[in-house]
Amino acid sequence: MNHSPVLTPFIDRYGKPEGGAWLAGKGASSDLLAVARCACDAGWFRVGGWEVAVGSEGDARKQLEVAGAKEASERYAHAAMIGNDAGALTAVVLWNDDQPECVYVLDPEVQSAQAQGPLAVWIGRLACGTKSNDEDREAVGVGTEPLGGKAPPLPCTIVPEPSVADALKGGGHVAFVELGGCPVSVHKKGIRALVAGQKKSKGLGKGAHIGFDVAGNAVFRTEAASSKEGTLARVTLPALDVTQEAVDGSLGAPYALSEDSVLVQLAKGWLRVYAMNEESDALVQRAELHAGSDAPFIQSSRTGYVTLTQHNRADTVLLRWTGERLEVVAAWPGSGGKIIDVDGQLYGNRHTPERNWHDVRMTLRR
C-alpha cells in the first residue's frame, strides 16, 4: 500500500488487511484506505484526543449541512465521517476521484468548517499535539539529532562585487542571485543578468511582483494581475529563456522544488505544483492540495522537500514532491524553518521551548 510514511506507525499498531474495502470503488486515496484499515477492528483508534474512524457519506453530508459548510460539501464528489473530539467537534473527509482528500473539522455550535489538509497532515499534527501520548508526540516519520554547528547554507541570494551590483541594480530591485554561473538581479519588472560579461535583461511584467525562488539554473517568479489571476514565470540562465503560465486565483510566492518544478501558494491555504512538460515546453499544473492552514509558513529545499508550519500552532509537517504527488512524509512538534537536502542528507532548523532555534540532522523513517 503506497500510503504516506507519516501513517506507518498507526498502521503498524492498528492496521487490519480487510478494512476499508467499501471505499475502494470511490476513488479513495491510499491514505484514506490505510486509515480505514486502522479503524476497522475496534471501530476507531485514538490520536491526540480524537477518536478516528471511517463512517458513512450520509452522516458526513448531514454534519456538513449542520455546520453550514455548503461550499465545502459541493466542492467534492465523495465524503465520509473521519473523527470525533469529545462530542463537541466532528471531522469529515472529502475528496474527488484520484485527487488528494481534505479533512474538515466542523463546529456546529459556531457554524464553522476549518480545512485541515490531507489525512496525513491532520493525523500528523494530532500526533504531535499536546493531547497526544509520548509514543506519538516526539515525531512521526522522522528522527532528528542536533548538530554541533550550523547546517549548510540554503542557496539563494548573493552579495556581488560592487561593480557587478552597479551594472545590474536598477529600479524595483528585489535581490541578487546566481544562476548558470551568472549574477542575476531580480526586480519588479523582470530580471537582469551578466552573461559572459555582457548585461542582458528580460521583461516579465508590470511591477506587480510578489515573490521569487531559484533552483539549479532556473528562477521562478510570481506576480498578481488581480485577486483573481496571476502569472508564474520560469527563466533559465544563461540564455534567459522564459516560460510563463497564467494562474487562476490569488497567487502568492513560489517555492522551487527542482529546476523544472515549483510549488505556488494560492489563497485560503491551497498549494499547487507546476512542472515543465518536456513535449510542449510549458509549465503545467501537476498537483493541488490544502496546507491545513489558511496562511502557512513554507520553506523548500530546492530538491523536492517542503515544510509547512501553522502560524497559530507549534508543529511542522514535511512534504516531498515525488514527481507525481506531494507526499506527507513526517511531522514533529515545534516550528520548522529552513529545510536543506545535501546529497541525500536532510538538515532542518527547528524551534522548541526547550532549545529555541537549533539546526538538526534528519533521518526519514519508512
Side-chain angles (χ1 to χ4, degrees):
M1 181 65 68
N2 190 28
H3 58 265
S4 295
V6 74
L7 296 174
T8 296
F10 301 100
I11 294 168
D12 290 345
R13 203 175 309 159
Y14 305 108
K16 302 292 180 181
E18 67 274 15
W22 65 277
L23 290 169
K26 294 182 176 290
S29 71
S30 56
D31 284 354
L32 181 51
L33 294 174
V35 170
R37 297 210 322 270
C38 291
C40 73
D41 188 29
W44 55 273
F45 64 98
R46 186 176 294 278
V47 187
W50 279 79
E51 293 179 357
V52 177
V54 180
S56 73
E57 175 161 353
D59 288 342
R61 297 290 183 187
K62 288 178 183 177
Q63 290 295 327
L64 288 162
E65 183 178 353
V66 170
K70 182 179 179 181
E71 181 180 350
S73 185
E74 291 179 346
R75 185 183 183 115
Y76 299 91
H78 306 291
M81 293 292 294
I82 197 67
N84 181 275
D85 181 17
L89 302 175
T90 58
V92 300
V93 58
L94 302 166
W95 73 97
N96 292 317
D97 292 345
D98 302 318
Q99 292 184 9
E101 73 285 335
C102 188
V103 174
Y104 285 80
V105 169
L106 311 178
D107 187 341
E109 184 175 349
V110 298
Q111 293 276 290
S112 71
Q114 298 295 323
Q116 307 295 308
L119 268 169
V121 170
W122 180 58
I123 288 180
R125 283 179 165 148
L126 290 182
C128 294
T130 56
K131 291 184 179 180
S132 197
N133 59 49
D134 292 339
E135 184 179 10
D136 295 333
R137 189 171 186 271
E138 181 179 353
V140 182
V142 66
T144 63
E145 59 175 303
L147 289 176
K150 290 289 185 181
L154 200 62
C156 190
T157 58
I158 63 168
V159 179
E161 294 292 329
S163 59
V164 173
D166 290 342
L168 295 180
K169 194 172 182 180
H173 170 76
V174 176
F176 289 110
V177 296
E178 186 171 339
L179 298 167
C182 307
V184 177
S185 167
V186 181
H187 61 97
K188 288 187 176 182
K189 295 185 179 181
I191 67 170
R192 303 182 183 94
L194 279 184
V195 180
Q198 299 296 313
K199 184 169 71 173
K200 299 176 67 175
S201 64
K202 186 70 69 171
L204 295 174
K206 298 180 180 179
H209 178 261
I210 292 178
F212 78 96
D213 201 2
V214 301
N217 292 334
V219 55
F220 295 96
R221 181 181 178 278
T222 55
E223 63 180 53
S226 69
S227 62
K228 295 183 179 180
E229 61 181 11
T231 302
L232 170 66
R234 174 181 179 264
V235 185
T236 55
L237 274 290
L240 270 68
D241 292 328
V242 177
T243 305
Q244 297 192 80
E245 178 67 21
V247 178
D248 60 303
S250 180
L251 180 60
Y255 300 91
L257 303 174
S258 71
E259 186 175 271
D260 296 320
S261 58
V262 61
L263 179 148
V264 294
Q265 188 172 3
L266 306 177
K268 298 182 179 180
W270 286 95
L271 307 176
R272 188 179 292 169
V273 174
Y274 286 87
M276 290 296 295
N277 184 315
E278 295 181 0
E279 295 180 0
S280 62
D281 196 29
L283 282 165
V284 296
Q285 180 179 334
R286 295 289 302 279
E288 184 176 78
L289 58 75
H290 197 279
S293 171
D294 283 351
F297 178 73
I298 304 174
Q299 291 282 310
S300 65
S301 69
R302 281 75 168 177
T303 59
Y305 289 96
V306 179
T307 56
L308 304 177
T309 301
Q310 290 183 241
H311 288 289
N312 60 341
R313 295 181 51 155
D315 54 47
T316 301
V317 172
L318 178 67
L319 308 179
R320 174 175 53 204
W321 173 242
T322 68
E324 297 179 352
R325 66 176 182 142
L326 280 169
E327 180 183 55
V328 185
V329 294
W332 60 84
S335 298
K338 61 185 178 182
I339 176 74
I340 304 165
D341 179 4
V342 180
D343 297 328
Q345 175 61 63
L346 281 179
Y347 299 89
N349 186 236
R350 294 180 57 185
H351 183 279
T352 61
E354 298 80 16
R355 296 206 57 195
N356 209 337
W357 284 103
H358 59 288
D359 288 346
V360 296
R361 182 181 290 108
M362 306 168 69
T363 303
L364 295 182
R365 300 167 181 157
R366 297 298 300 190

